[in-house]
mmCIF file of all heavy atoms in Angstrom:
data_model
loop_
_atom_site.group_PDB
_atom_site.id
_atom_site.type_symbol
_atom_site.label_atom_id
_atom_site.label_comp_id
_atom_site.label_asym_id
_atom_site.label_seq_id
_atom_site.Cartn_x
_atom_site.Cartn_y
_atom_site.Cartn_z
ATOM 1 N N THR A 250 -19.149 -20.956 3.099
ATOM 2 C CA THR A 250 -18.672 -21.608 1.892
ATOM 3 C C THR A 250 -19.634 -21.351 0.782
ATOM 4 O O THR A 250 -20.832 -21.425 0.938
ATOM 5 C CB THR A 250 -18.667 -23.107 2.098
ATOM 6 O OG1 THR A 250 -17.962 -23.533 3.291
ATOM 7 C CG2 THR A 250 -17.985 -23.831 0.925
ATOM 8 N N PHE A 251 -19.028 -21.022 -0.389
ATOM 9 C CA PHE A 251 -19.844 -20.749 -1.593
ATOM 10 C C PHE A 251 -19.287 -21.703 -2.678
ATOM 11 O O PHE A 251 -18.156 -21.487 -3.059
ATOM 12 C CB PHE A 251 -19.724 -19.274 -2.024
ATOM 13 C CG PHE A 251 -20.144 -18.292 -0.948
ATOM 14 C CD1 PHE A 251 -19.253 -17.801 -0.069
ATOM 15 C CD2 PHE A 251 -21.488 -17.893 -0.855
ATOM 16 C CE1 PHE A 251 -19.660 -16.863 0.881
ATOM 17 C CE2 PHE A 251 -21.867 -16.948 0.100
ATOM 18 C CZ PHE A 251 -20.986 -16.450 0.985
ATOM 19 N N VAL A 252 -20.107 -22.579 -3.153
ATOM 20 C CA VAL A 252 -19.652 -23.454 -4.261
ATOM 21 C C VAL A 252 -20.178 -22.851 -5.523
ATOM 22 O O VAL A 252 -21.400 -22.557 -5.670
ATOM 23 C CB VAL A 252 -20.244 -24.871 -4.045
ATOM 24 C CG1 VAL A 252 -19.845 -25.792 -5.225
ATOM 25 C CG2 VAL A 252 -19.788 -25.412 -2.724
ATOM 26 N N CYS A 253 -19.319 -22.594 -6.489
ATOM 27 C CA CYS A 253 -19.614 -21.800 -7.667
ATOM 28 C C CYS A 253 -19.284 -22.489 -8.985
ATOM 29 O O CYS A 253 -18.385 -23.252 -9.060
ATOM 30 C CB CYS A 253 -18.872 -20.447 -7.654
ATOM 31 S SG CYS A 253 -19.108 -19.529 -6.158
ATOM 32 N N ILE A 254 -20.017 -22.090 -9.995
ATOM 33 C CA ILE A 254 -19.648 -22.336 -11.363
ATOM 34 C C ILE A 254 -19.239 -20.986 -11.983
ATOM 35 O O ILE A 254 -19.964 -19.970 -11.856
ATOM 36 C CB ILE A 254 -20.878 -22.871 -12.216
ATOM 37 C CG1 ILE A 254 -21.211 -24.249 -11.732
ATOM 38 C CG2 ILE A 254 -20.532 -22.858 -13.688
ATOM 39 C CD1 ILE A 254 -22.231 -24.913 -12.577
ATOM 40 N N ALA A 255 -18.059 -20.964 -12.578
ATOM 41 C CA ALA A 255 -17.588 -19.712 -13.215
ATOM 42 C C ALA A 255 -18.347 -19.539 -14.550
ATOM 43 O O ALA A 255 -18.192 -20.321 -15.443
ATOM 44 C CB ALA A 255 -16.140 -19.758 -13.435
ATOM 45 N N THR A 256 -19.124 -18.455 -14.618
ATOM 46 C CA THR A 256 -19.916 -18.201 -15.817
ATOM 47 C C THR A 256 -19.264 -17.203 -16.738
ATOM 48 O O THR A 256 -19.547 -17.163 -17.890
ATOM 49 C CB THR A 256 -21.306 -17.683 -15.441
ATOM 50 O OG1 THR A 256 -21.155 -16.547 -14.578
ATOM 51 C CG2 THR A 256 -22.144 -18.735 -14.743
ATOM 52 N N GLU A 257 -18.330 -16.400 -16.183
ATOM 53 C CA GLU A 257 -17.599 -15.442 -17.013
ATOM 54 C C GLU A 257 -16.213 -15.249 -16.459
ATOM 55 O O GLU A 257 -15.974 -15.370 -15.256
ATOM 56 C CB GLU A 257 -18.295 -14.058 -16.970
ATOM 57 C CG GLU A 257 -19.530 -13.905 -17.874
ATOM 58 C CD GLU A 257 -20.058 -12.488 -17.803
ATOM 59 O OE1 GLU A 257 -19.410 -11.587 -18.336
ATOM 60 O OE2 GLU A 257 -21.132 -12.321 -17.152
ATOM 61 N N ALA A 258 -15.261 -14.927 -17.331
ATOM 62 C CA ALA A 258 -13.902 -14.630 -16.965
ATOM 63 C C ALA A 258 -13.530 -13.381 -17.685
ATOM 64 O O ALA A 258 -13.534 -13.354 -18.921
ATOM 65 C CB ALA A 258 -12.973 -15.777 -17.356
ATOM 66 N N ILE A 259 -13.211 -12.321 -16.856
ATOM 67 C CA ILE A 259 -12.898 -11.020 -17.460
ATOM 68 C C ILE A 259 -11.440 -10.647 -17.153
ATOM 69 O O ILE A 259 -11.148 -10.491 -15.991
ATOM 70 C CB ILE A 259 -13.860 -9.928 -16.927
ATOM 71 C CG1 ILE A 259 -15.337 -10.365 -17.198
ATOM 72 C CG2 ILE A 259 -13.600 -8.586 -17.548
ATOM 73 C CD1 ILE A 259 -16.297 -9.736 -16.235
ATOM 74 N N ASP A 260 -10.610 -10.555 -18.159
ATOM 75 C CA ASP A 260 -9.198 -10.208 -17.921
ATOM 76 C C ASP A 260 -9.080 -8.695 -17.715
ATOM 77 O O ASP A 260 -9.577 -7.920 -18.569
ATOM 78 C CB ASP A 260 -8.354 -10.661 -19.094
ATOM 79 C CG ASP A 260 -8.198 -12.167 -19.175
ATOM 80 O OD1 ASP A 260 -8.481 -12.860 -18.200
ATOM 81 O OD2 ASP A 260 -7.745 -12.655 -20.270
ATOM 82 N N VAL A 261 -8.437 -8.296 -16.609
ATOM 83 C CA VAL A 261 -8.169 -6.894 -16.378
ATOM 84 C C VAL A 261 -6.727 -6.828 -15.873
ATOM 85 O O VAL A 261 -6.382 -7.403 -14.859
ATOM 86 C CB VAL A 261 -9.097 -6.319 -15.265
ATOM 87 C CG1 VAL A 261 -8.812 -4.871 -15.055
ATOM 88 C CG2 VAL A 261 -10.516 -6.481 -15.694
ATOM 89 N N ALA A 262 -5.878 -6.076 -16.631
ATOM 90 C CA ALA A 262 -4.504 -5.898 -16.244
ATOM 91 C C ALA A 262 -3.878 -7.294 -15.971
ATOM 92 O O ALA A 262 -3.973 -8.189 -16.840
ATOM 93 C CB ALA A 262 -4.375 -4.940 -15.091
ATOM 94 N N THR A 263 -3.279 -7.484 -14.813
ATOM 95 C CA THR A 263 -2.603 -8.790 -14.522
ATOM 96 C C THR A 263 -3.503 -9.853 -13.966
ATOM 97 O O THR A 263 -3.085 -10.979 -13.733
ATOM 98 C CB THR A 263 -1.515 -8.521 -13.422
ATOM 99 O OG1 THR A 263 -2.162 -7.855 -12.333
ATOM 100 C CG2 THR A 263 -0.393 -7.680 -13.965
ATOM 101 N N HIS A 264 -4.792 -9.519 -13.792
ATOM 102 C CA HIS A 264 -5.742 -10.421 -13.081
ATOM 103 C C HIS A 264 -6.920 -10.845 -13.938
ATOM 104 O O HIS A 264 -7.188 -10.215 -14.988
ATOM 105 C CB HIS A 264 -6.234 -9.763 -11.802
ATOM 106 C CG HIS A 264 -5.190 -9.813 -10.734
ATOM 107 N ND1 HIS A 264 -3.968 -9.191 -10.803
ATOM 108 C CD2 HIS A 264 -5.223 -10.351 -9.504
ATOM 109 C CE1 HIS A 264 -3.229 -9.377 -9.717
ATOM 110 N NE2 HIS A 264 -4.011 -10.046 -8.862
ATOM 111 N N THR A 265 -7.612 -11.879 -13.525
ATOM 112 C CA THR A 265 -8.901 -12.253 -14.127
ATOM 113 C C THR A 265 -10.009 -12.170 -13.034
ATOM 114 O O THR A 265 -9.788 -12.659 -11.955
ATOM 115 C CB THR A 265 -8.877 -13.679 -14.693
ATOM 116 O OG1 THR A 265 -7.857 -13.701 -15.694
ATOM 117 C CG2 THR A 265 -10.181 -14.103 -15.267
ATOM 118 N N ILE A 266 -11.071 -11.479 -13.400
ATOM 119 C CA ILE A 266 -12.243 -11.517 -12.563
ATOM 120 C C ILE A 266 -13.094 -12.752 -12.964
ATOM 121 O O ILE A 266 -13.528 -12.786 -14.094
ATOM 122 C CB ILE A 266 -13.082 -10.189 -12.750
ATOM 123 C CG1 ILE A 266 -12.253 -8.998 -12.437
ATOM 124 C CG2 ILE A 266 -14.369 -10.267 -11.876
ATOM 125 C CD1 ILE A 266 -12.901 -7.677 -12.880
ATOM 126 N N PHE A 267 -13.228 -13.650 -12.065
ATOM 127 C CA PHE A 267 -14.080 -14.806 -12.374
ATOM 128 C C PHE A 267 -15.490 -14.525 -11.709
ATOM 129 O O PHE A 267 -15.545 -14.274 -10.512
ATOM 130 C CB PHE A 267 -13.554 -16.109 -11.761
ATOM 131 C CG PHE A 267 -12.326 -16.630 -12.544
ATOM 132 C CD1 PHE A 267 -11.085 -16.556 -12.011
ATOM 133 C CD2 PHE A 267 -12.542 -17.263 -13.806
ATOM 134 C CE1 PHE A 267 -9.977 -17.046 -12.722
ATOM 135 C CE2 PHE A 267 -11.437 -17.764 -14.521
ATOM 136 C CZ PHE A 267 -10.190 -17.637 -13.993
ATOM 137 N N ILE A 268 -16.493 -14.548 -12.506
ATOM 138 C CA ILE A 268 -17.848 -14.385 -12.027
ATOM 139 C C ILE A 268 -18.367 -15.777 -11.672
ATOM 140 O O ILE A 268 -18.290 -16.681 -12.535
ATOM 141 C CB ILE A 268 -18.776 -13.740 -13.064
ATOM 142 C CG1 ILE A 268 -18.179 -12.411 -13.592
ATOM 143 C CG2 ILE A 268 -20.169 -13.619 -12.483
ATOM 144 C CD1 ILE A 268 -18.218 -11.275 -12.624
ATOM 145 N N GLY A 269 -18.836 -15.967 -10.446
ATOM 146 C CA GLY A 269 -19.314 -17.306 -10.028
ATOM 147 C C GLY A 269 -20.760 -17.318 -9.678
ATOM 148 O O GLY A 269 -21.255 -16.534 -8.860
ATOM 149 N N GLU A 270 -21.509 -18.176 -10.349
ATOM 150 C CA GLU A 270 -22.865 -18.416 -9.991
ATOM 151 C C GLU A 270 -22.877 -19.415 -8.823
ATOM 152 O O GLU A 270 -22.262 -20.474 -8.971
ATOM 153 C CB GLU A 270 -23.724 -18.942 -11.147
ATOM 154 C CG GLU A 270 -25.120 -18.343 -11.064
ATOM 155 C CD GLU A 270 -25.914 -18.520 -12.344
ATOM 156 O OE1 GLU A 270 -25.690 -17.830 -13.326
ATOM 157 O OE2 GLU A 270 -26.785 -19.449 -12.381
ATOM 158 N N VAL A 271 -23.538 -19.085 -7.722
ATOM 159 C CA VAL A 271 -23.429 -19.879 -6.516
ATOM 160 C C VAL A 271 -24.425 -21.026 -6.549
ATOM 161 O O VAL A 271 -25.615 -20.820 -6.590
ATOM 162 C CB VAL A 271 -23.651 -18.979 -5.248
ATOM 163 C CG1 VAL A 271 -23.502 -19.806 -4.004
ATOM 164 C CG2 VAL A 271 -22.678 -17.852 -5.231
ATOM 165 N N GLU A 272 -23.908 -22.243 -6.473
ATOM 166 C CA GLU A 272 -24.756 -23.437 -6.513
ATOM 167 C C GLU A 272 -25.149 -23.829 -5.118
ATOM 168 O O GLU A 272 -26.221 -24.456 -4.908
ATOM 169 C CB GLU A 272 -23.984 -24.628 -7.081
ATOM 170 C CG GLU A 272 -23.736 -24.579 -8.533
ATOM 171 C CD GLU A 272 -23.179 -25.857 -9.013
ATOM 172 O OE1 GLU A 272 -22.370 -26.520 -8.347
ATOM 173 O OE2 GLU A 272 -23.632 -26.327 -10.096
ATOM 174 N N GLU A 273 -24.305 -23.517 -4.162
ATOM 175 C CA GLU A 273 -24.584 -23.875 -2.820
ATOM 176 C C GLU A 273 -23.898 -22.917 -1.835
ATOM 177 O O GLU A 273 -22.726 -22.624 -2.079
ATOM 178 C CB GLU A 273 -24.165 -25.305 -2.452
ATOM 179 C CG GLU A 273 -24.602 -25.759 -1.080
ATOM 180 C CD GLU A 273 -24.160 -27.144 -0.722
ATOM 181 O OE1 GLU A 273 -23.924 -28.008 -1.633
ATOM 182 O OE2 GLU A 273 -24.057 -27.393 0.498
ATOM 183 N N ALA A 274 -24.587 -22.391 -0.842
ATOM 184 C CA ALA A 274 -23.994 -21.502 0.133
ATOM 185 C C ALA A 274 -24.224 -22.134 1.504
ATOM 186 O O ALA A 274 -25.393 -22.504 1.797
ATOM 187 C CB ALA A 274 -24.614 -20.112 0.035
ATOM 188 N N ARG A 275 -23.143 -22.186 2.339
ATOM 189 C CA ARG A 275 -23.287 -22.718 3.649
ATOM 190 C C ARG A 275 -22.702 -21.651 4.587
ATOM 191 O O ARG A 275 -21.847 -20.887 4.220
ATOM 192 C CB ARG A 275 -22.451 -23.948 3.839
ATOM 193 C CG ARG A 275 -22.772 -25.097 2.981
ATOM 194 C CD ARG A 275 -21.765 -26.230 3.311
ATOM 195 N NE ARG A 275 -21.859 -27.338 2.367
ATOM 196 C CZ ARG A 275 -20.979 -28.363 2.327
ATOM 197 N NH1 ARG A 275 -19.997 -28.415 3.232
ATOM 198 N NH2 ARG A 275 -21.111 -29.304 1.455
ATOM 199 N N HIS A 276 -23.166 -21.643 5.865
ATOM 200 C CA HIS A 276 -22.517 -20.761 6.843
ATOM 201 C C HIS A 276 -22.531 -21.425 8.206
ATOM 202 O O HIS A 276 -23.328 -22.361 8.457
ATOM 203 C CB HIS A 276 -23.189 -19.419 6.843
ATOM 204 C CG HIS A 276 -24.592 -19.489 7.498
ATOM 205 N ND1 HIS A 276 -25.713 -19.844 6.720
ATOM 206 C CD2 HIS A 276 -24.984 -19.175 8.718
ATOM 207 C CE1 HIS A 276 -26.733 -19.805 7.543
ATOM 208 N NE2 HIS A 276 -26.357 -19.429 8.731
ATOM 209 N N ALA A 277 -21.661 -20.888 9.084
ATOM 210 C CA ALA A 277 -21.611 -21.343 10.469
ATOM 211 C C ALA A 277 -21.523 -20.119 11.331
ATOM 212 O O ALA A 277 -20.988 -19.061 10.881
ATOM 213 C CB ALA A 277 -20.404 -22.221 10.705
ATOM 214 N N ASP A 278 -21.921 -20.180 12.593
ATOM 215 C CA ASP A 278 -21.929 -19.013 13.438
ATOM 216 C C ASP A 278 -20.527 -18.904 14.058
ATOM 217 O O ASP A 278 -20.374 -19.099 15.244
ATOM 218 C CB ASP A 278 -23.054 -19.197 14.478
ATOM 219 C CG ASP A 278 -23.232 -17.914 15.265
ATOM 220 O OD1 ASP A 278 -22.715 -16.859 14.885
ATOM 221 O OD2 ASP A 278 -23.919 -18.012 16.352
ATOM 222 N N LEU A 279 -19.570 -18.532 13.270
ATOM 223 C CA LEU A 279 -18.198 -18.420 13.726
ATOM 224 C C LEU A 279 -17.689 -17.041 13.394
ATOM 225 O O LEU A 279 -18.063 -16.469 12.320
ATOM 226 C CB LEU A 279 -17.321 -19.436 13.040
ATOM 227 C CG LEU A 279 -17.620 -20.911 13.332
ATOM 228 C CD1 LEU A 279 -16.799 -21.814 12.394
ATOM 229 C CD2 LEU A 279 -17.290 -21.193 14.833
ATOM 230 N N ALA A 280 -16.810 -16.517 14.242
ATOM 231 C CA ALA A 280 -16.230 -15.182 13.943
ATOM 232 C C ALA A 280 -15.272 -15.274 12.783
ATOM 233 O O ALA A 280 -14.609 -16.286 12.586
ATOM 234 C CB ALA A 280 -15.456 -14.730 15.199
ATOM 235 N N PRO A 281 -15.211 -14.224 11.912
ATOM 236 C CA PRO A 281 -14.424 -14.264 10.735
ATOM 237 C C PRO A 281 -12.916 -13.935 11.061
ATOM 238 O O PRO A 281 -12.673 -13.228 11.972
ATOM 239 C CB PRO A 281 -15.041 -13.234 9.778
ATOM 240 C CG PRO A 281 -15.527 -12.181 10.789
ATOM 241 C CD PRO A 281 -15.983 -13.010 12.008
ATOM 242 N N LEU A 282 -12.061 -14.486 10.208
ATOM 243 C CA LEU A 282 -10.671 -14.056 10.201
ATOM 244 C C LEU A 282 -10.557 -12.851 9.320
ATOM 245 O O LEU A 282 -11.039 -12.892 8.199
ATOM 246 C CB LEU A 282 -9.805 -15.205 9.694
ATOM 247 C CG LEU A 282 -8.272 -14.902 9.598
ATOM 248 C CD1 LEU A 282 -7.672 -14.668 10.973
ATOM 249 C CD2 LEU A 282 -7.567 -16.022 8.879
ATOM 250 N N LEU A 283 -9.912 -11.759 9.784
ATOM 251 C CA LEU A 283 -9.770 -10.535 8.982
ATOM 252 C C LEU A 283 -8.332 -10.304 8.660
ATOM 253 O O LEU A 283 -7.441 -10.780 9.369
ATOM 254 C CB LEU A 283 -10.330 -9.319 9.793
ATOM 255 C CG LEU A 283 -11.770 -9.345 10.186
ATOM 256 C CD1 LEU A 283 -12.155 -8.015 10.853
ATOM 257 C CD2 LEU A 283 -12.698 -9.608 8.985
ATOM 258 N N TYR A 284 -8.165 -9.491 7.607
ATOM 259 C CA TYR A 284 -6.769 -9.088 7.161
ATOM 260 C C TYR A 284 -6.804 -7.563 7.032
ATOM 261 O O TYR A 284 -7.659 -7.011 6.368
ATOM 262 C CB TYR A 284 -6.444 -9.773 5.868
ATOM 263 C CG TYR A 284 -5.016 -9.685 5.478
ATOM 264 C CD1 TYR A 284 -4.057 -10.396 6.109
ATOM 265 C CD2 TYR A 284 -4.617 -8.891 4.407
ATOM 266 C CE1 TYR A 284 -2.739 -10.341 5.701
ATOM 267 C CE2 TYR A 284 -3.279 -8.824 3.982
ATOM 268 C CZ TYR A 284 -2.338 -9.550 4.656
ATOM 269 O OH TYR A 284 -1.059 -9.515 4.260
ATOM 270 N N HIS A 285 -5.839 -6.968 7.651
ATOM 271 C CA HIS A 285 -5.771 -5.459 7.620
ATOM 272 C C HIS A 285 -4.362 -5.023 7.829
ATOM 273 O O HIS A 285 -3.637 -5.520 8.752
ATOM 274 C CB HIS A 285 -6.676 -4.796 8.678
ATOM 275 C CG HIS A 285 -6.606 -3.368 8.777
ATOM 276 N ND1 HIS A 285 -5.876 -2.698 9.776
ATOM 277 C CD2 HIS A 285 -7.044 -2.413 7.959
ATOM 278 C CE1 HIS A 285 -5.967 -1.417 9.578
ATOM 279 N NE2 HIS A 285 -6.685 -1.203 8.495
ATOM 280 N N ASP A 286 -3.843 -4.083 7.017
ATOM 281 C CA ASP A 286 -2.534 -3.533 7.160
ATOM 282 C C ASP A 286 -1.447 -4.603 7.249
ATOM 283 O O ASP A 286 -0.487 -4.545 8.035
ATOM 284 C CB ASP A 286 -2.488 -2.649 8.434
ATOM 285 C CG ASP A 286 -1.314 -1.620 8.324
ATOM 286 O OD1 ASP A 286 -0.767 -1.452 7.225
ATOM 287 O OD2 ASP A 286 -0.947 -1.077 9.378
ATOM 288 N N GLY A 287 -1.631 -5.696 6.463
ATOM 289 C CA GLY A 287 -0.613 -6.752 6.397
ATOM 290 C C GLY A 287 -0.690 -7.765 7.535
ATOM 291 O O GLY A 287 0.242 -8.566 7.699
ATOM 292 N N ARG A 288 -1.727 -7.682 8.359
ATOM 293 C CA ARG A 288 -1.810 -8.574 9.504
ATOM 294 C C ARG A 288 -3.198 -9.267 9.619
ATOM 295 O O ARG A 288 -4.209 -8.693 9.167
ATOM 296 C CB ARG A 288 -1.596 -7.786 10.796
ATOM 297 C CG ARG A 288 -0.178 -7.307 10.986
ATOM 298 C CD ARG A 288 0.050 -6.721 12.367
ATOM 299 N NE ARG A 288 -0.873 -5.599 12.591
ATOM 300 C CZ ARG A 288 -1.381 -5.230 13.790
ATOM 301 N NH1 ARG A 288 -1.078 -5.970 14.878
ATOM 302 N NH2 ARG A 288 -2.117 -4.183 13.889
#
Side-chain angles (χ1 to χ4, degrees):
T250 308
F251 302 90
V252 179
C253 303
I254 292 187
T256 53
E257 280 184 73
I259 303 155
D260 289 344
V261 180
T263 50
H264 284 60
T265 298
I266 301 168
F267 288 106
I268 306 291
E270 213 168 285
V271 180
E272 288 191 321
E273 188 182 332
R275 301 179 189 171
H276 70 278
D278 190 13
L279 294 171
L282 178 66
L283 300 184
Y284 193 72
H285 175 257
D286 201 15
R288 289 187 302 150

